[in-house]
Amino acid sequence: MAVLNVARMGHPVLRQIAAPVPLDVFRSRAFQQFCDDLLESMLEHDGTGLAAPQVHEQLRVVVFVIEDGDPMFLVNPVITPLSDELRSGYEGCLSIPNLRGKVERYMHIRVDARGRDGKPCVFEAHGWPARVVQHECDHLDGVLFIDRADPKSLAFLPEYRRFGPPVALPKLPDDEDVDDSNSDDPEIDGGDEDES
Ligand code: ZN
């Protein structure tokens, strides 16, 4: 396995549309090796998720981990919102180190994808996992969280930690599924002090 370099904002690779993975590629050793490397890179950089274009590979592959669960790979994912409900939450990105911004995401989505083994992977996600999936899948279309962020909400990480979020988040009802919006850890695919 290998730790891959993460492209930072300004690198053109982050602004391209990634190509679908053909079905006959799933079994190839090179593809499986890439999936291993993507996961290792995410863990090494202390990210919650990582998308292939972030490591200079124009393929529609993302990996993420929700809490202490197993890593989940999504290949060729398609997201369908299951309601119009949007929720604001702060996000960070390994490709934009040390920046935080508030982004509205669909609260409830369906994901149609394949796993790294090529088998169909269909599920619904709600709240924080839905946010992570939307953030990572945006990378496959050349979209960064900063494109969707409220400009007044942007903050460098040290200032974010020192002064708190510049733009308040809406008060939420008690609901475990929506704890992303008031989480102490707003990172999606990363952003530690160590990164810069
Ligand atoms: Zn990101």
Side-chain angles (χ1 to χ4, degrees):
M1 296 215 289
V3 175
L4 307 169
N5 286 331
V6 174
R8 305 205 320 173
M9 184 169 61
H11 195 299
V13 75
L14 294 172
R15 293 305 194 175
Q16 293 162 9
I17 308 284
V21 177
L23 271 183
D24 59 352
V25 165
F26 282 88
R27 283 193 203 162
S28 75
R29 197 167 163 175
F31 179 73
Q32 292 302 321
Q33 179 67 56
F34 172 70
C35 289
D36 288 342
D37 291 348
L38 187 66
L39 173 59
E40 187 179 8
S41 303
M42 183 197 82
L43 297 172
E44 178 68 22
H45 296 295
D46 207 17
T48 297
L50 193 60
Q54 291 182 277
V55 293
H56 309 85
E57 196 67 52
Q58 287 296 12
L59 290 173
R60 301 187 81 79
V61 182
V62 307
V63 65
F64 60 91
V65 174
I66 299 298
E67 293 176 347
D68 296 327
D70 291 331
M72 189 163 192
F73 286 86
L74 301 179
V75 185
N76 303 340
V78 175
I79 293 174
T80 307
L82 292 179
S83 84
D84 293 333
E85 186 184 357
L86 299 168
R87 185 61 46 91
S88 290
Y90 273 82
E91 299 183 9
C93 181
L94 285 174
S95 295
I96 313 174
N98 283 321
L99 196 70
R100 293 288 178 270
K102 192 177 79 167
V103 183
E104 283 194 331
R105 299 285 188 188
Y106 288 110
M107 190 63 191
H108 191 192
I109 60 172
R110 191 182 75 212
V111 182
D112 290 87
R114 290 183 184 270
R116 64 181 284 180
D117 56 3
K119 291 180 182 165
C121 173
V122 179
F123 61 97
E124 292 185 17
H126 199 263
W128 175 248
R131 176 174 298 279
V132 173
V133 169
Q134 287 170 86
H135 176 114
E136 296 307 333
C137 291
D138 264 356
H139 281 297
L140 306 180
D141 293 323
V143 176
L144 300 175
F145 87 83
I146 200 171
D147 303 343
R148 301 187 187 278
D150 173 355
K152 288 182 181 172
S153 74
L154 295 173
F156 292 110
L157 189 57
E159 283 75 11
Y160 181 93
R161 291 195 168 145
R162 183 175 173 195
F163 300 112
V167 174
L169 294 165
K171 269 223 172 268
L172 298 173
D174 287 340
D175 181 346
E176 281 186 25
D177 286 339
V178 296
D179 65 357
D180 57 301
S181 295
N182 51 16
S183 167
D184 289 336
D185 180 3
E187 298 165 358
I188 298 284
D189 54 33
D192 268 358
E193 295 94 329
D194 304 340
E195 279 180 349
S196 54

